[in-house]
């Protein structure tokens, strides 16, 4: 007799799970001069894959933050804008990530486009979007999502689902469909300004391509190849 755990079903054993990537590679010559232009190319590929049902929510990204004591946390949010200045998402400023970013305004983003054997990893400082930009986006949300921003005290402990549903029902009665919902003062956007952007392309035998842009003080970008 031994103390070894019983063998797992191979279907359920993480150590037995294998995926051999055979995608085309990524070379330095393939890259755009600016990382946000390269991101736009890959995002278009991801969005087209989503249209064909092979990828779910191409704008989903993992946001990793750390609090004032350096304790990390991660969650998936939806990126709602990108341009030459970076990436924007919206949240409750009193949520855990909101509090983290107030205390420690730096973030890591990960776009996990697994069906394409691609990842994009971004790191940089964040700042809040202006209220005008926040209001414009809030007005574009479905009515129910606007009410949800008021009903949820994000990341706080609640007694039950019924409590949340009751809060939403009260707001729905106060602001019926067609009536303008005010923008919550505790809700808004964060804009991430990239300092590094890594494009990861899965390759055969785990010899992946990893090309990382790094911002230079003069506003240009350097590119390094990282070992997989």
């Amino acid at each position: 007799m031994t103390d070894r755990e019983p063998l797992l079903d191979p279907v359920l054993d993480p150590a037995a799970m294998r995926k051999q990537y055979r995608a085309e590679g990524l070379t330095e010559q393939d890259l755009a001069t600016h990382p946000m232009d390269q991101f736009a190319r890959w995002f278009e590929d991801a969005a087209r894959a989503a249209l064909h049902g092979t990828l779910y929510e191409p704008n989903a990204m993992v946001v990793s933050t750390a609090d004032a004591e350096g304790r990390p946390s991660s969650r998936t949010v939806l990126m709602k804008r990108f341009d030459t200045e970076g990436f924007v998402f919206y949240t409750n400023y009193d949520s855990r990530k909101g509090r983290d970013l107030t205390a420690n305004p730096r973030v890591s983003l990960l776009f996990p486009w697994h069906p394409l054997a691609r990842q994009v990893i971004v790191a940089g400082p964040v700042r809040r979007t202006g209220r005008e930009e926040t209001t414009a986006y809030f007005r574009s949300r479905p009515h129910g999502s606007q009410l949800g921003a008021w009903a949820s005290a994000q990341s706080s402990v609640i007694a039950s689902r019924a409590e949340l549903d009751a809060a939403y029902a009260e707001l729905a009665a106060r602001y019926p469909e067609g009536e303008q919902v005010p923008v919550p003062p505790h809700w808004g956007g964060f804009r991430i300004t990239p300092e590094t952007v890594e494009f990861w392309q899965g390759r055969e035998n785990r010899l992946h391509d990893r090309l990382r842009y790094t911002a230079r003080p003069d506003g240009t970008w350097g590119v390094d190849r990282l070992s997989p």
Side-chain angles (χ1 to χ4, degrees), residues 1 4 13 24 37 52 61 70 120 135 151 160 165 192 203-204 208 225:
M1 295 290 290
R4 292 176 58 188
D13 183 1
E24 292 183 3
D37 292 332
H52 290 93
M61 60 184 185
V120 180
T135 298
S160 65
D165 290 340
I192 298 92
R203 298 293 303 278
E204 196 171 16
H208 313 307
R225 177 174 285 274

Side-chain angles (χ1 to χ4, degrees), residues 36-49:
M36 297 309 294
D37 292 332
Q38 182 64 34
F39 181 84
R41 294 177 184 176
W42 272 25
F43 186 76
E44 180 178 354
D45 291 342
R48 293 188 184 282

Side-chain angles (χ1 to χ4, degrees), residues 81 85 87-107 124-135 183-193:
R81 178 181 173 85
E85 295 184 15
F87 303 87
V88 176
F89 71 92
Y90 292 87
T91 189
N92 186 317
Y93 288 140
D94 295 329
S95 66
R96 179 172 180 176
K97 59 184 172 294
R99 295 193 306 271
D100 282 359
L101 292 174
T102 297
N104 185 3
R106 302 190 67 81
V107 73
V126 303
R127 67 180 190 275
R128 292 186 181 190
T129 58
R131 292 312 289 177
E132 184 176 336
E133 184 176 354
T134 291
T135 298
V183 182
H186 56 271
W187 189 93
F190 282 108
R191 177 179 293 275
I192 298 92
T193 302

